[in-house]
Amino acid sequence: MENHTENEKSSFVKELLQWAAAIILAAAVAIFADKFLIVNAQIPSGSMENTIMPGDRIIGNRLAYTFSDPQRFDIIIFRYPDDESQLFIKRIIGLPGETVEIRDGHIYINGSDTPLEDVETKEPMEGSFGPYTVPEDCYFVMGDNRNNSRDSRYWEHTFVTEDEILGKAVFRYWPVNKMKFL
């Protein structure tokens, strides 16, 4: 009888250790993924409406720019240049070395007479801003809700540096009924 009880205890301890090992391994994989593969962001404001709505949750790819540079119209997750403790999400408009000017609600790159063929925004943009000459290794970004977005046009540190970019937004996973690739 004693031998049977000892076997039960031993079996219980083995199972407990297996569960603990599985939980520790899952936590390690999750931490590794969050630190090196993905960035998880929640949208706090309406600055990216109607592309991304307040309360949406986004997954970004931390490796997206390992072998290529960010491109115009990419949606990026980055550390806010005026307070790097905050994460922001915006769309790249101006690339390194370009001059961005906004005249009467239209974006012009490098003095072109033809406005940039922009993405679909919540409403037509108003106002004139710039010109802004984007330094090397930096990006000029704007929200898709152009009339209600605190972005490069308004910041003290106008540009997002390459080092501040955490990843490219790739997937909205919340709310579940609106899951989609960005």
Side-chain angles (χ1 to χ4, degrees), residues 125-161:
M125 182 172 41
E126 298 173 358
S128 297
F129 302 88
Y132 307 94
T133 300
V134 184
E136 289 303 314
D137 299 323
C138 292
Y139 298 87
F140 184 88
V141 298
M142 296 174 73
D144 286 358
N145 185 359
R146 302 280 160 80
N147 295 323
N148 190 24
S149 176
R150 293 291 167 215
D151 50 40
S152 285
R153 296 171 289 173
Y154 301 102
W155 300 337
E156 180 181 337
H157 299 95
T158 306
F159 308 102
V160 176
T161 65

Side-chain angles (χ1 to χ4, degrees), residues 4-161:
H4 182 63
T5 306
E6 285 181 29
N7 284 343
E8 284 180 358
K9 285 182 184 177
S10 176
S11 177
F12 175 74
V13 169
K14 283 182 184 177
E15 187 168 337
L16 188 61
L17 288 174
Q18 287 175 340
W19 275 103
I23 291 169
I24 290 169
L25 180 61
V29 168
I31 290 168
F32 175 81
D34 188 52
K35 199 75 170 154
F36 299 105
L37 302 177
I38 64 169
V39 58
N40 185 11
Q42 182 174 355
I43 309 307
S45 73
S47 71
M48 286 297 292
E49 288 179 355
N50 286 330
T51 307
I52 305 169
M53 304 301 285
D56 285 358
R57 292 185 177 263
I58 306 297
I59 294 286
N61 178 359
R62 288 186 186 267
L63 301 177
Y65 302 122
T66 303
F67 300 109
S68 65
D69 293 329
Q71 300 298 305
R72 187 180 334 278
F73 302 128
D74 284 357
I75 298 172
I76 59 170
I77 301 167
F78 58 94
R79 289 184 199 94
Y80 174 43
D82 290 345
D83 178 1
E84 290 195 6
S85 69
Q86 297 182 52
L87 295 186
F88 272 37
I89 185 165
K90 303 284 183 205
R91 188 177 298 277
I92 293 176
I93 299 300
L95 301 173
E98 292 183 336
T99 298
V100 178
E101 185 172 8
I102 300 155
R103 295 190 307 257
D104 298 322
H106 297 284
I107 302 168
Y108 296 87
I109 303 293
N110 293 333
S112 172
D113 292 332
T114 307
L116 181 67
E117 286 193 35
D118 203 359
V119 297
E120 187 173 322
T121 58
K122 183 174 181 180
E123 59 193 12
M125 182 172 41
E126 298 173 358
S128 297
F129 302 88
Y132 307 94
T133 300
V134 184
E136 289 303 314
D137 299 323
C138 292
Y139 298 87
F140 184 88
V141 298
M142 296 174 73
D144 286 358
N145 185 359
R146 302 280 160 80
N147 295 323
N148 190 24
S149 176
R150 293 291 167 215
D151 50 40
S152 285
R153 296 171 289 173
Y154 301 102
W155 300 337
E156 180 181 337
H157 299 95
T158 306
F159 308 102
V160 176
T161 65

